[in-house]
Amino acid sequence: MNHKIKRAVCLASISALFFAAPLSSFGEEYFKTDFDTSDNRVKAVFKINSREYSIGDIKKSIDSAPYIKDGRTMLPVRYVADAVGIDEKDIVWNPEDKTVTIFKGDKIIQLTIGSNILSTDAEKITMDTEAEIKDDRTFVPVSYIAKALGVEVDWDDTDKEVTFYLDREIKKEAEENSKSNYDYDLDMLYKKALESSNEYKIAQATLEKNEILKDDAEDDLDYIPSIGETPAGSPAEALASGTFLKVENSRIEYRKAKKDLKALKDKINYQVKSAYYDVIKAQNSLDIAKEALNLYKKSMEQSQLKYKLGIISKTEETKAVKEYEKAKETYEKALKNLDMKYQKLNKLVGFEPEKRYVLDTSLKVKLNDDNDPESHIGGIIEEIPDIWYAEQKAKLAGLSVDVYVFNVGNPPYAAAELDEKTAKMTVAEVKKNTKQSLRDLFNSMKILEKQYREQVAELEKAKEDLETAELNFKVGNTIELVVDKARLNYDMIKNDIKNTIMDYDLLNMVYEKPWVSSGQ
């Protein structure tokens, strides 16, 4: 019976997943080579007692965590299949005889709950642990399912992790099935931040209040004589002047409230993006710290063995132990840092502090192609709410001089003139300082662009070094530890590039909308 017939029979019985030309995106070139190393494999990693697993750089949620039973690592079949690129429709559950059937290419793999027999087209494998159901998921010992699927698997006793090594074809299938497998992206969390922000609700209420005050002040104009229609220096002229200024001020306050509300939305967006990026950075740093910890652990174990064999001195062995302890400390700090960054983001979006989730880590950052920063700065400076407000207040001070009424108890006329002069000088000084800050921001972005180019060049060199190390290892000219060090260096530079991209994006956001920064 061929594969198609077997599958049909099974289904019937049951009946019921920056800088290349043209340069259009700051992060685009880097992500073209995200998995481009000489090793044609990508890792799918599961961790004991963790409800998260990864396929390459893609983080995914899992509803039932792996565990250890009788010394065997038990993994949920559904997610192992997903990790190696098997679509959910190719996993069939028969509730009558409690069997799970997996179709992978021309292979058919079948397990029965409560049985230690794993069947394939070619053979029946006797497992030393039975398949079982936990949390409504079928769990099997990892070594046997990996063998049946034809996938290389590794166990990390330090971090209690299972790693599957996937080839290019499987990686592509797994990535296709995982494209949108995250809990939240930036836009989703921004919307939640708006919903939970008391500051935003207050700003909305302030706008409503200022609209009421403006309408009320404008209504007063219907009952007050216009300026020029009353005797000079009379109480009636003072009332007309005061009402006119009150109306103008209420209009300014209303327009400011509208601008403040819009600016606050931008500011919350910036705050969420900054905290969102901090979580991604912290997670990437943790991944690097973990990779370094495994490397130094391996180095320490080799050094301890060499010392016992008399190959190296006690000083060299002690140095290796200290390097491992330092790497372990760095890893523990990275864990705490990730926890802190999650808490900060959770506070912004209204989540409980302990809530954890998978973020969309794809970076779609555009390069700022502004060739005329002075033109941009000159235009955007007028849109900054605080500067606009200061200018309106200066104009209002000028109006106060224009409609000044003598001999009715107002402050001296000279004082009113000085108020206008001081207000204009303040606006000029704020504009001057803000323009310089924006020029500095633009220059900082150019520095990051240069830094990015240099990092890309470093990545290419690190890639060549990694390929050389892997080739030497394959022909027996070097040890695996050298390959691990070369890969760690490659991954560290790759991580630096991601950080540069995120830093650039935040700077560009402040450059485009200066009011998002707390300093504006």
Side-chain angles (χ1 to χ4, degrees):
M1 188 181 293
N2 65 30
H3 166 61
K4 290 184 178 178
I5 296 175
K6 285 181 181 179
R7 180 175 179 182
V9 170
C10 184
L11 289 171
S13 66
I14 295 170
S15 70
L17 208 329
F18 153 66
F19 275 55
L23 203 157
S24 59
S25 174
F26 187 59
E28 186 176 350
E29 181 191 353
Y30 163 68
F31 282 98
K32 288 179 182 177
T33 60
D34 196 23
F35 289 104
D36 192 11
T37 69
S38 56
D39 187 350
N40 286 328
R41 304 178 301 175
V42 67
K43 298 176 183 178
V45 182
F46 293 80
K47 188 178 181 70
I48 298 301
N49 297 325
S50 173
R51 290 180 179 271
E52 181 180 293
Y53 67 107
S54 62
I55 302 174
D57 284 350
I58 301 168
K59 305 292 183 183
K60 306 188 73 176
S61 296
I62 184 171
D63 58 17
S64 191
Y67 59 92
I68 295 176
K69 179 183 178 182
D70 300 329
R72 286 293 180 185
T73 302
M74 305 291 285
L75 261 62
V77 171
R78 163 69 182 85
Y79 295 103
V80 171
D82 171 71
V84 300
I86 298 174
D87 196 272
E88 189 171 5
K89 68 179 184 296
D90 292 321
I91 307 168
V92 181
W93 165 248
N94 186 337
E96 294 180 2
D97 55 15
K98 297 187 183 303
T99 61
V100 177
T101 305
I102 302 171
F103 298 94
K104 181 178 183 290
D106 292 329
K107 286 185 179 180
I108 297 179
I109 302 160
Q110 193 168 69
L111 296 144
T112 302
I113 301 302
S115 170
N116 65 341
I117 301 299
L118 184 154
S119 302
T120 69
D121 289 347
E123 60 181 330
K124 289 183 180 289
I125 302 172
T126 301
M127 304 182 293
D128 54 14
T129 302
E130 296 177 350
E132 63 183 26
I133 293 178
K134 182 182 177 184
D135 300 331
D136 294 325
R137 288 292 180 188
T138 300
F139 280 78
V140 294
V142 63
S143 57
Y144 295 101
I145 190 67
K147 180 179 179 182
L149 292 170
V151 179
E152 183 183 343
V153 66
D154 187 31
W155 167 251
D156 184 342
D157 190 54
T158 301
D159 294 312
K160 305 299 180 187
E161 290 183 340
V162 176
T163 301
F164 293 91
Y165 294 93
L166 316 178
D167 60 29
R168 288 284 186 177
E169 183 178 352
I170 292 177
K171 177 189 89 72
K172 184 176 180 181
E173 292 174 5
E175 283 187 321
E176 286 297 320
N177 293 334
S178 307
K179 276 184 177 177
S180 60
N181 200 288
Y182 50 80
D183 297 318
Y184 297 101
D185 61 21
L186 185 58
D187 187 57
M188 293 161 67
L189 291 184
Y190 163 61
K191 290 176 181 176
K192 287 192 171 294
L194 276 183
E195 291 170 2
S196 65
S197 173
N198 285 328
E199 187 179 4
Y200 185 68
K201 293 170 186 175
I202 291 171
Q204 287 177 313
T206 300
L207 175 60
E208 292 177 15
K209 184 188 81 169
N210 283 329
E211 184 175 17
I212 292 171
L213 292 174
K214 176 183 72 72
D215 292 344
D216 184 64
E218 289 175 340
D219 288 343
D220 288 344
L221 286 177
D222 295 335
Y223 306 99
I224 303 296
S226 300
I227 297 174
E229 295 180 356
T230 56
S234 68
E237 184 185 38
L239 180 60
S241 173
T243 302
F244 171 74
L245 293 174
K246 178 184 175 183
V247 170
E248 289 303 311
N249 186 65
S250 68
R251 288 169 176 168
I252 290 171
E253 294 297 332
Y254 171 67
R255 291 176 64 192
K256 181 179 185 296
K258 287 182 69 175
K259 289 178 178 292
D260 283 346
L261 185 64
K262 181 179 181 299
L264 182 58
K265 290 176 69 174
D266 291 333
K267 186 174 182 179
I268 291 173
N269 191 13
Y270 174 78
Q271 290 172 338
V272 171
K273 178 179 279 192
S274 180
Y276 188 99
Y277 281 171
D278 281 346
V279 171
I280 294 177
K281 288 178 181 179
Q283 181 62 63
N284 291 343
S285 294
L286 179 62
D287 292 342
I288 293 294
K290 176 183 165 186
E291 186 178 350
L293 180 63
N294 290 334
L295 185 150
Y296 284 110
K297 181 184 178 185
K298 188 183 295 184
S299 177
M300 178 185 69
E301 290 171 345
Q302 290 186 10
S303 295
Q304 289 172 332
L305 179 60
K306 288 180 180 179
Y307 173 68
K308 287 180 181 179
L309 296 174
I311 299 174
I312 64 172
S313 67
K314 180 63 178 176
T315 301
E316 291 173 300
E317 187 256 356
T318 301
K319 180 183 177 183
V321 172
K322 287 182 178 179
E323 287 177 338
Y324 169 73
E325 292 297 331
K326 184 177 180 181
K328 186 177 180 181
E329 182 181 344
T330 300
Y331 177 72
E332 290 170 352
K333 286 181 178 178
L335 275 172
K336 292 179 181 178
N337 183 53
L338 178 60
D339 190 57
M340 289 172 56
K341 299 305 181 185
Y342 262 114
Q343 290 182 34
K344 179 182 176 183
L345 180 56
N346 287 348
K347 184 177 180 180
L348 279 170
V349 300
F351 289 161
E352 292 297 320
E354 65 277 4
K355 184 177 176 67
R356 298 295 178 266
Y357 37 86
V358 180
L359 295 177
D360 175 16
T361 58
S362 60
L363 297 176
K364 300 178 180 67
V365 178
K366 292 182 179 179
L367 173 72
N368 187 312
D369 56 357
D370 189 357
N371 295 317
D372 185 11
E374 290 303 319
S375 177
H376 166 76
I377 292 170
I380 202 67
I381 203 81
E382 304 299 332
E383 296 182 29
I384 298 175
D386 287 348
I387 291 179
W388 176 88
Y389 184 63
E391 284 190 317
Q392 298 308 307
K393 283 296 188 179
K395 290 177 182 178
L396 190 62
L399 284 174
S400 297
V401 173
D402 293 340
V403 300
Y404 185 85
V405 179
F406 292 89
N407 304 320
V408 291
N410 284 330
Y413 180 77
E417 287 184 312
L418 285 173
D419 284 344
E420 178 187 11
K421 182 178 180 181
T422 302
K424 289 181 177 179
M425 290 173 62
T426 300
V427 170
E429 185 66 17
V430 171
K431 280 188 172 183
K432 175 185 174 184
N433 293 336
T434 304
K435 285 180 178 180
Q436 187 55 50
S437 295
L438 290 173
R439 292 186 191 101
D440 292 342
L441 265 177
F442 182 78
N443 291 334
S444 295
M445 289 163 59
K446 290 302 175 184
I447 290 172
L448 282 182
E449 290 176 17
K450 181 175 181 292
Q451 177 177 298
Y452 175 81
R453 291 188 183 95
E454 292 171 349
Q455 289 171 332
V456 169
E458 288 178 20
L459 189 67
E460 287 301 313
K461 176 64 168 58
K463 177 185 172 184
E464 292 174 5
D465 292 343
L466 176 57
E467 290 172 344
T468 300
E470 288 175 329
L471 181 60
N472 285 332
F473 176 69
K474 287 178 182 178
V475 299
N477 288 339
T478 192
I479 58 175
E480 188 176 16
L481 191 62
V482 173
V483 178
D484 292 340
K485 288 181 178 179
R487 181 170 288 110
L488 176 61
N489 182 53
Y490 178 88
D491 290 341
M492 287 173 68
I493 297 172
K494 189 166 65 172
N495 188 53
D496 289 342
I497 291 176
K498 291 179 181 179
N499 289 343
T500 297
I501 292 171
M502 288 183 277
D503 290 343
Y504 182 95
D505 192 28
L506 291 173
L507 280 182
N508 188 46
M509 191 170 182
V510 178
Y511 180 73
E512 294 290 341
K513 299 179 178 180
W515 48 88
V516 302
S517 172
S518 58
Q520 295 294 340

